[in-house]
Amino acid sequence: MAGRLPGAAASSPLPRALLLLAALALFSISFLSLRSLRPAADPAVAAAADKSRPLLRLQSSSSVYHSPEAFAAGYAEMERSFKVYIYPDGDPKTFYQTPRKLTGKYASEGYFFQNIRESRFRTDDPDQAHLFFVPISPHKMRGKGTTYENMTVIVKDYVEGLINKYPYWNRTLGADHFFVTCHDVGVRAFEGLPFMVKNSIRVVCSPSYNVDFIPHKDIALPQVLQPFALPEGGNDIENRTILGFWAGHRNSKIRVILARVWENDTELAISNNRISRAIGELVYQKQFYRTKFCICPGGSQVNSARISDSIHYGCVPVILSDYYDLPFNDALDWRKFAVILRERDVYQLKNILKSISQEEFVSLHKSLVQVQKHFVWHSPPVSYDAFHMVMYELWLRHNVIKY
């Protein structure tokens, strides 16, 4: 035909091929775009599937966790990767390495010393460690009658010995080191080492941030009085007919005020002293089962084992203690399962509790049952128990500043 160039017929398939390639490319892009709208697989789910381990069920709506997704992912990574080196120095028969006991109101310290040795987190290779544990137990020192003055000397000599013997402290000035103590005198025992108080991670039962406790660095250790005298409570709302309950010693200003203002109230069961065993067996513990809100004022320190008692027995804790950095609050949203008040609110305590609707109480109670597993110790430790939650808090702090 006129006007056709030689070879035009041979080249005509090329535009059609290009159109076909363009169509395929458009289809591929559309498919990938639609697929990207699907939620990504939870890394915690993948890790659990790989290890055939039970996975904690997290719900984003009204969750007891600040960020369920972040907690699940961080927890899974901690279990896969976290390693702690325990300094081997010190005679276990004196003040080092092993717990004094796993019972009583300082049981949390003992359980940690026991659990860290039973867990997968321990490593004998310091070059693989993220953190270094200084295994000196003020609770053991107290049990052997060591005076506070001698305690500070023993702690100072031990830590300085580790610094001189090993190179690890000087790499970070101790920022990747931690110690654990639940006894009140334990914190004071380290006062002879101001650089350790400043730099190292302190895991303590008395986390008052109006003194030396530094929330972003230090960790609140829950004070758990184990073994519990009675089984867990929970999912028993119909049995909880008492509005509020507290019984204890008046060893702090807030407790004195609490008893003075409310001990004769007909709706609040407030007692000036611990309930006598002469009244009946385990009357004090059984009262937790019958109460909606258990009042937890600070004692000689901001903390109280009554908080973990309340959680265990299914009674919503009412935190009545200023400057208290609550345990595990990097992960847990305490306002979902507790009532947090200022000490000056004690005068309005009854009105505040009565203003909480039944629907709100039911929600608090159900959330409380969800966190019970985090406030109990086991030997050997089990997933998501108090030990693992402490380790999670340590894991969050393992990316230390290198000086």
Side-chain angles (χ1 to χ4, degrees), residues 192-213:
L193 297 163
F195 54 87
M196 190 172 191
V197 172
K198 175 185 175 183
N199 296 339
S200 299
I201 302 168
R202 300 189 299 164
V203 184
V204 297
C205 281
S206 52
S208 177
Y209 54 84
N210 70 328
V211 286
D212 294 328
F213 186 85

Side-chain angles (χ1 to χ4, degrees), residues 155-156 159-160 163 169-170 172-175 179 190-201 217 403:
V155 170
K156 188 172 185 292
V159 174
E160 289 181 346
I163 294 172
W169 176 279
N170 291 323
T172 64
L173 294 182
F179 66 89
F190 286 82
E191 289 179 349
L193 297 163
F195 54 87
M196 190 172 191
V197 172
K198 175 185 175 183
N199 296 339
S200 299
I201 302 168
K217 175 182 74 70
Y403 289 87

